[in-house]
Coordinates of all heavy atoms in Angstrom, one line a residue:
M826 N -2.4 -15.6 -34.5 CA -2.7 -14.6 -33.5 C -1.6 -14.4 -32.5 O -1.5 -15.2 -31.6 CB -4.1 -15.0 -32.8 CG -5.2 -15.0 -33.7 SD -6.0 -13.4 -33.9 CE -7.1 -13.4 -32.4
E827 N -1.0 -13.3 -32.7 CA 0.1 -13.0 -31.7 C -0.2 -11.8 -30.9 O -0.6 -10.7 -31.4 CB 1.4 -12.8 -32.4 CG 2.1 -14.1 -32.8 CD 3.5 -13.8 -33.4 OE1 4.2 -13.0 -32.8 OE2 3.8 -14.4 -34.4
K828 N -0.1 -11.9 -29.6 CA -0.3 -10.7 -28.8 C 1.0 -10.1 -28.5 O 2.0 -10.8 -28.3 CB -0.9 -11.2 -27.4 CG -2.4 -11.5 -27.5 CD -2.9 -11.9 -26.2 CE -4.4 -12.3 -26.3 NZ -5.0 -12.7 -25.0
P829 N 1.0 -8.8 -28.5 CA 2.3 -8.1 -28.2 C 2.7 -8.4 -26.7 O 1.9 -8.3 -25.8 CB 2.0 -6.6 -28.3 CG 0.5 -6.5 -28.3 CD -0.1 -7.9 -28.7
I830 N 3.9 -8.7 -26.6 CA 4.4 -9.1 -25.2 C 4.9 -7.8 -24.5 O 5.8 -7.1 -25.0 CB 5.6 -10.1 -25.3 CG1 5.1 -11.4 -26.0 CG2 6.1 -10.4 -23.9 CD1 6.2 -12.3 -26.4
K831 N 4.3 -7.6 -23.4 CA 4.7 -6.4 -22.6 C 5.9 -6.8 -21.7 O 5.8 -7.7 -20.9 CB 3.6 -6.0 -21.7 CG 2.5 -5.2 -22.4 CD 1.5 -4.7 -21.5 CE 0.3 -4.1 -22.2 NZ -0.8 -3.8 -21.3
K832 N 7.0 -6.2 -22.0 CA 8.2 -6.4 -21.1 C 8.1 -5.6 -19.9 O 8.2 -4.3 -19.9 CB 9.5 -6.1 -21.9 CG 9.9 -7.2 -22.8 CD 11.3 -7.1 -23.2 CE 11.7 -8.3 -24.1 NZ 13.1 -8.2 -24.6
K833 N 7.8 -6.2 -18.8 CA 7.8 -5.5 -17.5 C 8.9 -6.0 -16.6 O 9.4 -7.1 -16.8 CB 6.5 -5.8 -16.8 CG 5.4 -4.8 -17.2 CD 4.2 -5.0 -16.4 CE 3.1 -3.9 -16.6 NZ 2.0 -4.0 -15.7
G834 N 9.3 -5.1 -15.7 CA 10.3 -5.6 -14.7 C 11.5 -4.8 -14.8 O 11.9 -4.1 -13.8
V835 N 12.2 -4.9 -15.9 CA 13.6 -4.3 -15.9 C 13.5 -2.8 -15.9 O 14.1 -2.1 -15.1 CB 14.4 -4.8 -17.1 CG1 15.8 -4.1 -17.1 CG2 14.5 -6.3 -17.1
F836 N 12.8 -2.2 -16.9 CA 12.7 -0.8 -17.0 C 12.1 -0.1 -15.8 O 12.7 0.9 -15.2 CB 12.0 -0.3 -18.3 CG 11.9 1.2 -18.3 CD1 13.0 2.0 -18.6 CD2 10.7 1.8 -18.2 CE1 12.9 3.3 -18.6 CE2 10.5 3.1 -18.2 CZ 11.6 3.9 -18.5
P837 N 10.9 -0.6 -15.3 CA 10.3 0.1 -14.2 C 11.2 0.2 -12.9 O 11.3 1.2 -12.3 CB 9.1 -0.7 -13.9 CG 8.7 -1.3 -15.2 CD 10.1 -1.6 -15.8
K838 N 11.9 -0.9 -12.7 CA 12.8 -0.9 -11.5 C 13.9 0.1 -11.7 O 14.4 0.8 -10.8 CB 13.3 -2.3 -11.3 CG 12.4 -3.1 -10.4 CD 12.9 -4.5 -10.2 CE 11.8 -5.4 -9.5 NZ 12.2 -6.8 -9.4
M839 N 14.5 0.2 -12.9 CA 15.5 1.1 -13.2 C 14.9 2.5 -13.0 O 15.6 3.4 -12.4 CB 16.0 1.0 -14.6 CG 17.3 0.2 -14.7 SD 17.9 0.2 -16.4 CE 18.2 1.9 -16.7
Y840 N 13.7 2.7 -13.5 CA 13.1 4.0 -13.4 C 13.0 4.4 -11.9 O 13.3 5.5 -11.6 CB 11.7 3.9 -14.0 CG 11.0 5.3 -14.0 CD1 11.0 6.1 -15.1 CD2 10.2 5.6 -12.9 CE1 10.4 7.3 -15.1 CE2 9.5 6.9 -12.9 CZ 9.6 7.7 -14.0 OH 9.0 8.9 -14.0
C841 N 12.5 3.5 -11.1 CA 12.3 3.8 -9.7 C 13.6 4.1 -9.0 O 13.7 5.0 -8.1 CB 11.6 2.6 -9.0 SG 9.9 2.5 -9.4
S842 N 14.7 3.4 -9.4 CA 16.0 3.6 -8.7 C 16.5 5.0 -9.1 O 17.3 5.6 -8.4 CB 16.9 2.5 -8.9 OG 17.3 2.4 -10.3
L843 N 16.1 5.4 -10.3 CA 16.6 6.7 -10.8 C 15.8 7.9 -10.3 O 16.3 8.9 -9.8 CB 16.6 6.7 -12.4 CG 17.7 5.9 -13.0 CD1 17.5 5.9 -14.5 CD2 19.1 6.5 -12.8
F844 N 14.5 7.7 -10.4 CA 13.6 8.8 -10.1 C 12.8 8.6 -8.8 O 12.0 9.5 -8.4 CB 12.6 9.0 -11.3 CG 13.3 9.3 -12.6 CD1 13.4 8.3 -13.5 CD2 13.9 10.5 -12.8 CE1 14.0 8.6 -14.8 CE2 14.5 10.8 -14.0 CZ 14.6 9.8 -15.0
G845 N 12.9 7.5 -8.2 CA 12.1 7.2 -7.0 C 10.8 6.6 -7.4 O 10.3 6.7 -8.5
H846 N 10.2 6.0 -6.4 CA 8.9 5.3 -6.6 C 7.8 6.3 -6.8 O 7.8 7.4 -6.3 CB 8.5 4.4 -5.4 CG 9.5 3.3 -5.2 ND1 9.5 2.2 -6.0 CD2 10.5 3.1 -4.3 CE1 10.5 1.4 -5.6 NE2 11.1 1.9 -4.6
N847 N 6.8 5.9 -7.5 CA 5.6 6.8 -7.8 C 4.4 6.1 -7.2 O 3.6 5.4 -7.9 CB 5.5 7.0 -9.3 CG 4.5 8.1 -9.6 OD1 3.9 8.7 -8.7 ND2 4.2 8.3 -10.9
Y848 N 4.2 6.4 -5.9 CA 3.2 5.7 -5.2 C 1.8 6.4 -5.4 O 1.7 7.6 -5.4 CB 3.5 5.6 -3.7 CG 4.7 4.8 -3.3 CD1 5.8 5.3 -2.8 CD2 4.6 3.4 -3.5 CE1 6.9 4.6 -2.6 CE2 5.7 2.6 -3.2 CZ 6.8 3.2 -2.7 OH 7.9 2.4 -2.5
E849 N 0.8 5.5 -5.5 CA -0.6 6.0 -5.4 C -1.3 5.3 -4.4 O -1.0 4.1 -4.1 CB -1.3 5.9 -6.8 CG -1.4 4.5 -7.3 CD -2.1 4.4 -8.6 OE1 -2.5 5.5 -9.1 OE2 -2.3 3.3 -9.1
I850 N -2.3 5.9 -3.8 CA -3.1 5.3 -2.7 C -4.0 4.3 -3.3 O -4.8 4.6 -4.2 CB -3.9 6.3 -1.9 CG1 -2.9 7.3 -1.2 CG2 -4.8 5.7 -0.9 CD1 -3.6 8.6 -0.7
T851 N -3.9 3.0 -2.8 CA -4.8 2.0 -3.3 C -6.0 1.7 -2.4 O -7.0 1.2 -2.8 CB -4.0 0.7 -3.6 OG1 -3.3 0.3 -2.4 CG2 -3.1 0.8 -4.7
K852 N -5.7 2.0 -1.1 CA -6.8 1.7 -0.1 C -6.7 2.7 1.0 O -5.6 2.9 1.6 CB -6.6 0.3 0.3 CG -7.9 -0.3 1.0 CD -7.6 -1.7 1.4 CE -8.8 -2.3 2.2 NZ -8.5 -3.7 2.6
Q853 N -7.8 3.2 1.4 CA -7.8 4.0 2.7 C -8.3 3.1 3.7 O -9.5 2.7 3.8 CB -8.8 5.2 2.4 CG -9.0 6.1 3.7 CD -8.1 7.3 3.7 OE1 -7.7 7.8 2.7 NE2 -7.6 7.6 4.9
V854 N -7.4 2.7 4.6 CA -7.8 1.7 5.7 C -8.5 2.4 6.8 O -9.7 2.1 7.2 CB -6.6 0.9 6.2 CG1 -7.0 -0.1 7.2 CG2 -5.9 0.3 5.0
T855 N -7.9 3.4 7.4 CA -8.5 4.3 8.4 C -8.1 5.7 8.1 O -7.5 5.9 7.0 CB -8.0 3.9 9.8 OG1 -6.6 4.3 9.9 CG2 -8.1 2.5 10.2
H856 N -8.4 6.6 8.9 CA -8.0 8.0 8.7 C -6.5 8.2 8.5 O -6.0 9.0 7.8 CB -8.5 8.9 9.8 CG -10.0 9.1 9.8 ND1 -10.6 9.6 8.6 CD2 -11.0 8.9 10.7 CE1 -11.9 9.7 8.9 NE2 -12.2 9.3 10.1
H857 N -5.8 7.4 9.3 CA -4.4 7.5 9.3 C -3.6 6.5 8.5 O -2.5 6.7 8.1 CB -3.9 7.5 10.8 CG -4.5 8.6 11.6 ND1 -4.3 9.9 11.4 CD2 -5.5 8.5 12.6 CE1 -5.0 10.6 12.3 NE2 -5.7 9.7 13.0
V858 N -4.3 5.3 8.3 CA -3.6 4.2 7.6 C -4.0 4.1 6.2 O -5.2 4.0 5.9 CB -3.8 2.9 8.4 CG1 -3.1 1.8 7.7 CG2 -3.3 3.0 9.8
K859 N -3.1 4.1 5.3 CA -3.4 3.9 3.9 C -2.5 2.8 3.3 O -1.4 2.6 3.8 CB -3.2 5.2 3.1 CG -4.1 6.3 3.5 CD -3.9 7.6 2.7 CE -4.6 8.7 3.2 NZ -3.8 9.6 4.1
E860 N -2.9 2.3 2.2 CA -2.1 1.4 1.4 C -1.7 2.1 0.1 O -2.5 2.7 -0.5 CB -2.8 0.1 1.1 CG -3.0 -0.8 2.4 CD -3.7 -2.1 2.1 OE1 -4.0 -2.4 1.0 OE2 -4.0 -2.8 3.1
Y861 N -0.4 1.9 -0.2 CA 0.1 2.5 -1.4 C 0.7 1.5 -2.4 O 1.1 0.4 -2.0 CB 1.2 3.5 -1.1 CG 0.9 4.6 -0.1 CD1 0.9 4.3 1.2 CD2 0.4 5.8 -0.6 CE1 0.6 5.3 2.2 CE2 0.1 6.8 0.3 CZ 0.2 6.6 1.7 OH -0.1 7.5 2.6
K862 N 0.7 1.8 -3.7 CA 1.3 0.9 -4.6 C 2.1 1.8 -5.6 O 1.6 2.8 -6.1 CB 0.2 0.1 -5.4 CG 0.8 -1.0 -6.2 CD -0.4 -1.8 -6.8 CE 0.1 -3.2 -7.2 NZ -1.1 -4.0 -7.7
C863 N 3.3 1.4 -6.0 CA 4.1 2.1 -7.0 C 3.6 1.8 -8.3 O 3.4 0.6 -8.7 CB 5.6 1.7 -6.8 SG 6.6 2.5 -8.1
K864 N 3.3 2.8 -9.1 CA 2.8 2.6 -10.5 C 3.7 1.9 -11.4 O 3.4 1.3 -12.4 CB 2.4 4.0 -11.1 CG 1.2 4.6 -10.6 CD 1.0 5.9 -11.3 CE -0.1 6.7 -10.7 NZ -0.2 8.1 -11.3
H865 N 5.0 2.0 -11.1 CA 6.0 1.5 -12.0 C 6.4 0.1 -11.7 O 6.5 -0.8 -12.6 CB 7.2 2.4 -12.0 CG 6.9 3.8 -12.5 ND1 6.6 4.1 -13.8 CD2 6.9 5.0 -11.8 CE1 6.3 5.4 -13.9 NE2 6.5 5.9 -12.7
C866 N 6.7 -0.2 -10.4 CA 7.3 -1.5 -10.1 C 6.3 -2.4 -9.2 O 6.6 -3.5 -8.8 CB 8.6 -1.4 -9.4 SG 8.5 -0.7 -7.7
N867 N 5.1 -1.8 -8.9 CA 4.1 -2.5 -8.1 C 4.5 -2.8 -6.7 O 3.9 -3.7 -6.1 CB 3.6 -3.8 -8.8 CG 2.9 -3.5 -10.1 OD1 2.2 -2.4 -10.2 ND2 2.9 -4.4 -11.0
R868 N 5.5 -2.1 -6.2 CA 5.8 -2.3 -4.8 C 4.7 -1.7 -3.9 O 4.2 -0.6 -4.2 CB 7.2 -1.6 -4.6 CG 7.7 -1.9 -3.2 CD 9.1 -1.2 -3.0 NE 9.5 -1.4 -1.6 CZ 10.2 -0.5 -1.0 NH1 10.5 0.6 -1.5 NH2 10.6 -0.8 0.3
E869 N 4.4 -2.4 -2.9 CA 3.3 -2.0 -2.0 C 3.8 -1.6 -0.7 O 4.6 -2.3 -0.1 CB 2.2 -3.1 -1.9 CG 1.5 -3.3 -3.2 CD 0.4 -4.4 -3.1 OE1 0.8 -5.5 -2.9 OE2 -0.8 -4.1 -3.2
L870 N 3.2 -0.5 -0.2 CA 3.6 0.0 1.2 C 2.3 0.2 2.0 O 1.2 0.4 1.4 CB 4.4 1.3 1.1 CG 5.7 1.3 0.4 CD1 6.3 2.7 0.5 CD2 6.7 0.4 1.1
T871 N 2.5 0.3 3.3 CA 1.4 0.7 4.1 C 1.9 1.6 5.2 O 3.1 1.7 5.5 CB 0.7 -0.5 4.7 OG1 -0.5 0.0 5.4 CG2 1.6 -1.2 5.7
T872 N 1.0 2.4 5.8 CA 1.3 3.3 6.9 C 1.4 2.4 8.2 O 0.5 1.7 8.5 CB 0.3 4.4 7.1 OG1 -0.2 4.8 5.8 CG2 0.9 5.6 7.8
Y873 N 2.5 2.6 8.9 CA 2.6 1.9 10.1 C 2.1 2.8 11.2 O 1.8 3.9 11.0 CB 4.1 1.5 10.4 CG 4.4 0.5 11.5 CD1 3.7 -0.7 11.4 CD2 5.2 0.8 12.5 CE1 3.9 -1.7 12.4 CE2 5.5 -0.1 13.5 CZ 4.8 -1.4 13.4 OH 5.1 -2.3 14.4
S874 N 1.9 2.2 12.4 CA 1.3 3.0 13.5 C 2.1 4.2 13.9 O 1.5 5.2 14.4 CB 1.1 2.1 14.8 OG 2.4 1.5 15.1
N875 N 3.4 4.2 13.7 CA 4.2 5.4 14.0 C 4.2 6.4 12.9 O 4.9 7.4 12.9 CB 5.6 5.0 14.3 CG 6.3 4.2 13.2 OD1 5.8 4.2 12.1 ND2 7.5 3.7 13.5
G876 N 3.5 6.1 11.8 CA 3.4 7.1 10.7 C 4.3 6.9 9.6 O 4.2 7.5 8.5
N877 N 5.3 5.9 9.8 CA 6.2 5.6 8.7 C 5.6 4.7 7.7 O 4.7 4.0 8.0 CB 7.5 5.0 9.3 CG 8.3 6.0 10.1 OD1 8.2 7.2 9.9 ND2 9.1 5.5 11.1
L878 N 6.3 4.6 6.6 CA 5.8 3.7 5.5 C 6.7 2.4 5.6 O 7.9 2.5 5.7 CB 5.9 4.3 4.2 CG 5.0 5.5 3.9 CD1 5.3 6.1 2.5 CD2 3.5 5.0 3.9
I879 N 6.0 1.3 5.5 CA 6.7 0.0 5.5 C 6.2 -0.9 4.4 O 5.1 -0.6 3.9 CB 6.6 -0.7 6.9 CG1 5.1 -0.8 7.3 CG2 7.4 -0.1 8.0 CD1 4.8 -1.9 8.2
E880 N 6.9 -1.9 4.1 CA 6.5 -2.8 3.1 C 5.2 -3.5 3.5 O 5.0 -3.9 4.6 CB 7.6 -3.9 3.0 CG 7.6 -4.7 1.7 CD 8.5 -4.0 0.7 OE1 9.5 -3.4 1.0 OE2 8.2 -4.1 -0.5
L881 N 4.3 -3.6 2.5 CA 3.0 -4.2 2.8 C 3.1 -5.7 2.6 O 3.0 -6.2 1.5 CB 1.9 -3.6 1.8 CG 0.5 -4.2 2.0 CD1 0.0 -3.9 3.4 CD2 -0.4 -3.6 1.0
T882 N 3.3 -6.4 3.7 CA 3.4 -7.9 3.6 C 2.0 -8.5 3.8 O 1.1 -7.8 4.2 CB 4.3 -8.4 4.8 OG1 3.7 -7.9 6.0 CG2 5.7 -7.8 4.7
P883 N 1.8 -9.7 3.5 CA 0.5 -10.4 3.7 C 0.0 -10.2 5.1 O -1.2 -10.1 5.3 CB 0.8 -11.8 3.4 CG 1.9 -11.8 2.4 CD 2.8 -10.6 2.8
K884 N 0.9 -10.2 6.1 CA 0.5 -10.0 7.5 C -0.1 -8.6 7.7 O -1.1 -8.5 8.4 CB 1.7 -10.2 8.4 CG 1.2 -10.4 9.8 CD 2.4 -10.7 10.7 CE 1.9 -10.9 12.2 NZ 3.0 -11.1 13.1
F885 N 0.5 -7.6 7.1 CA 0.0 -6.3 7.2 C -1.3 -6.1 6.5 O -2.2 -5.3 6.9 CB 1.0 -5.2 6.9 CG 2.0 -4.9 8.0 CD1 3.3 -5.4 7.9 CD2 1.6 -4.2 9.1 CE1 4.2 -5.1 9.0 CE2 2.4 -3.9 10.1 CZ 3.7 -4.4 10.1
K886 N -1.4 -6.8 5.3 CA -2.7 -6.7 4.6 C -3.8 -7.2 5.5 O -4.9 -6.7 5.5 CB -2.6 -7.6 3.3 CG -2.0 -6.9 2.2 CD -2.2 -7.7 0.9 CE -1.6 -6.9 -0.3 NZ -1.8 -7.6 -1.5
E887 N -3.5 -8.3 6.2 CA -4.5 -8.9 7.1 C -4.9 -7.9 8.3 O -6.0 -7.7 8.5 CB -3.9 -10.2 7.7 CG -4.9 -11.2 8.1 CD -4.2 -12.5 8.6 OE1 -3.4 -13.0 7.9 OE2 -4.5 -12.8 9.8
I888 N -3.8 -7.3 8.9 CA -4.0 -6.3 9.9 C -4.9 -5.2 9.4 O -5.8 -4.7 10.1 CB -2.7 -5.8 10.5 CG1 -2.0 -7.0 11.2 CG2 -2.9 -4.7 11.4 CD1 -0.5 -6.7 11.6
N889 N -4.5 -4.7 8.2 CA -5.2 -3.6 7.6 C -6.7 -3.9 7.4 O -7.6 -3.0 7.6 CB -4.6 -3.1 6.3 CG -3.3 -2.3 6.6 OD1 -3.0 -2.0 7.7 ND2 -2.6 -2.0 5.6
S890 N -7.0 -5.1 6.9 CA -8.4 -5.4 6.7 C -9.2 -5.5 7.9 O -10.4 -5.2 8.0 CB -8.5 -6.7 5.9 OG -8.1 -7.8 6.7
I891 N -8.5 -5.9 9.0 CA -9.2 -5.9 10.3 C -9.4 -4.5 10.8 O -10.5 -4.2 11.2 CB -8.3 -6.7 11.4 CG1 -8.3 -8.2 11.0 CG2 -8.9 -6.6 12.8 CD1 -7.2 -9.0 11.7
L892 N -8.4 -3.7 10.7 CA -8.5 -2.3 11.1 C -9.6 -1.6 10.3 O -10.4 -0.8 10.8 CB -7.2 -1.5 10.8 CG -6.0 -1.7 11.8 CD1 -4.8 -1.0 11.2 CD2 -6.4 -1.1 13.1
N893 N -9.6 -1.9 9.0 CA -10.7 -1.3 8.1 C -12.1 -1.7 8.5 O -13.0 -0.9 8.5 CB -10.4 -1.7 6.7 CG -11.3 -1.1 5.7 OD1 -12.1 -1.7 5.0 ND2 -11.4 0.3 5.7
R894 N -12.2 -3.0 8.9 CA -13.5 -3.4 9.4 C -13.9 -2.7 10.7 O -15.1 -2.3 10.8 CB -13.5 -5.0 9.6 CG -14.7 -5.6 9.0 CD -14.8 -7.1 9.4 NE -13.6 -7.8 8.9 CZ -13.3 -9.0 9.4 NH1 -14.0 -9.7 10.3 NH2 -12.2 -9.7 8.9
I895 N -13.0 -2.7 11.6 CA -13.3 -2.0 12.9 C -13.6 -0.5 12.6 O -14.6 0.0 13.1 CB -12.1 -2.0 13.8 CG1 -11.8 -3.5 14.3 CG2 -12.3 -1.2 15.1 CD1 -10.5 -3.7 14.9
H896 N -12.8 0.1 11.7 CA -13.0 1.5 11.4 C -14.3 1.8 10.8 O -15.1 2.7 11.2 CB -11.9 2.0 10.5 CG -12.0 3.4 10.0 ND1 -11.7 4.4 10.9 CD2 -12.4 3.9 8.9 CE1 -11.9 5.6 10.2 NE2 -12.3 5.3 9.0
S897 N -14.7 1.0 9.8 CA -16.0 1.3 9.1 C -17.2 0.9 9.9 O -18.3 1.4 9.7 CB -16.0 0.6 7.7 OG -15.7 -0.8 7.9
S898 N -17.0 -0.1 10.8 CA -18.2 -0.5 11.6 C -18.4 0.4 12.8 O -19.5 0.7 13.2 CB -18.0 -1.9 12.1 OG -17.0 -2.0 13.0
K899 N -17.3 0.9 13.3 CA -17.4 1.8 14.5 C -17.6 3.3 14.1 O -18.4 4.0 14.7 CB -16.2 1.6 15.4 CG -16.4 0.6 16.5 CD -15.2 0.7 17.4 CE -15.4 -0.2 18.6 NZ -14.3 -0.1 19.6
Q900 N -16.8 3.7 13.2 CA -16.6 5.1 12.9 C -16.4 5.9 14.2 O -16.9 7.0 14.4 CB -17.9 5.6 12.2 CG -18.0 5.1 10.8 CD -17.0 5.7 9.8 OE1 -16.4 6.8 10.1 NE2 -16.8 5.1 8.7
A901 N -15.6 5.4 15.1 CA -15.4 6.0 16.4 C -14.3 6.9 16.4 O -13.4 6.9 15.5 CB -15.2 4.9 17.4
R902 N -14.2 7.8 17.4 CA -13.1 8.7 17.5 C -11.9 8.1 18.1 O -10.8 8.5 18.0 CB -13.5 9.9 18.3 CG -14.5 10.8 17.5 CD -14.9 12.0 18.4 NE -16.0 12.7 17.8 CZ -16.7 13.7 18.4 NH1 -16.3 14.1 19.6 NH2 -17.7 14.3 17.8
Q903 N -12.2 7.0 18.9 CA -11.1 6.3 19.6 C -10.2 5.6 18.6 O -10.7 5.0 17.6 CB -11.6 5.4 20.6 CG -12.2 6.1 21.8 CD -12.9 5.1 22.7 OE1 -13.4 4.1 22.3 NE2 -12.9 5.4 24.0
K904 N -8.9 5.5 18.9 CA -8.0 4.7 18.1 C -8.2 3.3 18.5 O -8.3 2.9 19.6 CB -6.6 5.1 18.3 CG -6.2 6.4 17.6 CD -4.8 6.8 17.9 CE -4.4 8.1 17.4 NZ -3.1 8.5 17.7
P905 N -8.2 2.4 17.5 CA -8.2 1.0 17.8 C -6.9 0.6 18.6 O -5.8 1.1 18.2 CB -8.2 0.3 16.4 CG -8.0 1.3 15.4 CD -8.1 2.6 16.0
S906 N -7.0 -0.2 19.6 CA -5.9 -0.4 20.5 C -5.1 -1.7 20.1 O -4.7 -2.4 20.9 CB -6.4 -0.6 21.9 OG -7.4 -1.6 22.0
L907 N -5.0 -1.9 18.8 CA -4.3 -3.1 18.3 C -2.8 -3.0 18.5 O -2.1 -3.9 18.6 CB -4.6 -3.4 16.9 CG -6.0 -4.0 16.6 CD1 -6.3 -4.2 15.2 CD2 -6.1 -5.4 17.3
F908 N -2.3 -1.7 18.4 CA -0.9 -1.6 18.4 C -0.4 -1.1 19.8 O -0.8 -0.1 20.2 CB -0.4 -0.6 17.3 CG -0.6 -1.1 16.0 CD1 -1.7 -0.7 15.2 CD2 0.2 -2.1 15.5 CE1 -1.9 -1.2 13.9 CE2 0.0 -2.6 14.2 CZ -1.0 -2.1 13.4
Ligands
LIG2127 ZN1 8.6 1.7 -7.8

């Protein structure tokens, strides 16, 4: 019983460097903050407080989950004052 081995890694990265990343939204944290993942190389990004996209590190995942909890529990118009 042999399973076909999927070669991942080399081609997607080449693809991204040629055509750019193909991000899709993986999580809506708040109205303004979202998490993104590239379909090709699995690179993850998140929206920073200034509106720019930055690398989604474990620390930002943690911050986002806290933001998400505040956001969904409050549903308030006020911005969370974490930043
Ligand atoms: Zn990519």
Side-chain angles (χ1 to χ4, degrees):
M826 292 273 275
E827 280 185 44
K828 286 180 181 176
I830 300 164
K831 283 182 189 172
K832 279 196 176 178
K833 272 189 171 183
V835 180
F836 176 72
K838 275 180 187 170
M839 258 184 67
Y840 183 93
C841 287
S842 65
L843 286 172
F844 301 105
H846 297 283
N847 190 0
Y848 293 113
E849 60 176 3
I850 297 165
T851 52
K852 196 177 176 183
Q853 175 95 37
V854 181
T855 69
H856 287 304
H857 302 291
V858 180
K859 297 180 188 100
E860 290 178 8
Y861 304 86
K862 193 176 196 175
C863 178
K864 284 182 190 174
H865 299 291
C866 68
N867 291 333
R868 189 177 175 215
E869 288 180 297
L870 294 181
T871 186
T872 325
Y873 195 54
S874 56
N875 59 10
N877 291 334
L878 292 175
I879 50 156
E880 200 91 30
L881 181 62
T882 60
K884 193 176 181 182
F885 276 107
K886 276 191 180 182
E887 212 179 300
I888 293 169
N889 281 353
S890 71
I891 294 165
L892 279 175
N893 185 237
R894 223 188 301 166
I895 294 167
H896 177 72
S897 53
S898 65
K899 269 191 173 178
Q900 290 290 340
R902 287 177 192 177
Q903 289 175 327
K904 284 181 186 174
S906 56
L907 282 176
F908 291 104

